[in-house]
Amino acid sequence: MGSLCITVPDELFAVAESSSFAGTYDLASLEYSSNEFRFEEPLTYSVQISNTGGALYVGGTVEGDAAVDCVRCLEEARYHLCGEVEGYFLISDSGKELTEEEEDEYEVLPEDHIIDLEPLLRAALVLEMPLGPLCDDDCKGLCPQCGANLNKESCSCEPEESFEPKNPFSVLKTIRFLSLI
């Protein structure tokens, strides 16, 4: 496993310089939207750090395969995730005066010149994760009465009466309007 903390080399403090870094990221699982995405293999990442004059821009990708429970049938669903890594670190000793907006929106490069990639990698993965993961777009889910997986078997349950939520405006359907013509 490669280190997720990168010590910025001295040459990157010159304007327009850049360096590439790659490695693996061991992440057992990541929770998002009440779903737990599990990673059996390490994820791979590749980033480039560029000096933009007063700041370091981190850009690249992180990718790997995730397993998660389908929200309809609870069977395993698999996803290949490929997220865009992006970060912006202001160089505090660059002499550049930071605006209030920059201080709030961007991180300042720590004095030890170490960039921790883990938050950037996690954020890139979360942006690629579906809110409601499905094993298949046509997943039929579970029977609400007996719990049978309708993708694998049929059940003999009687269909529930169609459920219409109470609509407070449904009374308007009964009003008879007078025609003025």
Side-chain angles (χ1 to χ4, degrees):
M1 177 180 115
S3 174
L4 294 178
C5 291
I6 296 174
T7 302
V8 178
D10 291 336
E11 60 268 11
L12 272 180
F13 289 98
V15 176
E17 288 294 322
S18 64
S19 292
S20 296
F21 302 88
T24 58
Y25 176 28
D26 282 325
L27 179 64
S29 67
L30 184 58
E31 286 193 31
Y32 172 65
S33 178
S34 73
N35 298 302
E36 181 184 24
F37 288 79
R38 300 171 301 279
F39 302 94
E40 296 167 0
E41 299 289 325
L43 297 121
T44 58
Y45 70 87
S46 175
V47 296
Q48 185 166 4
I49 301 177
S50 304
N51 187 319
T52 62
L56 296 175
Y57 172 76
V58 180
T61 59
V62 58
E63 66 182 292
D65 295 319
V68 62
D69 297 331
C70 174
V71 295
R72 290 186 190 159
C73 70
L74 304 178
E75 293 291 322
E76 184 176 84
R78 297 199 148 283
Y79 286 89
H80 180 77
L81 303 176
C82 184
E84 293 291 321
V85 177
E86 193 169 65
Y88 198 70
F89 293 85
L90 299 171
I91 301 171
S92 60
D93 57 354
S94 68
K96 179 183 176 191
E97 194 72 30
L98 302 179
T99 66
E100 190 174 316
E101 181 181 296
E102 288 174 327
E103 287 178 0
D104 291 341
E105 192 162 330
Y106 305 113
E107 290 192 45
V108 175
L109 182 68
E111 289 184 27
D112 60 5
H113 298 167
I114 294 177
I115 295 176
D116 184 5
L117 291 179
E118 187 168 12
L120 300 175
L121 299 179
R122 284 178 175 262
L125 290 168
V126 164
L127 288 174
E128 296 302 311
M129 293 177 173
L131 286 172
L134 298 174
C135 61
D136 183 55
D137 287 340
D138 297 325
C139 178
K140 297 175 184 171
L142 303 176
C143 171
Q145 295 172 9
C146 70
N149 185 338
L150 300 175
N151 295 312
K152 296 180 179 180
E153 61 185 295
S154 299
C155 66
S156 58
C157 297
E158 290 292 320
E160 290 183 5
E161 291 181 25
S162 83
F163 174 75
E164 264 190 56
K166 295 217 180 238
N167 182 345
F169 299 103
S170 62
V171 71
L172 296 175
K173 290 180 184 178
T174 63
I175 294 177
R176 290 234 186 289
F177 294 98
L178 295 175
S179 175
L180 298 175
I181 300 177

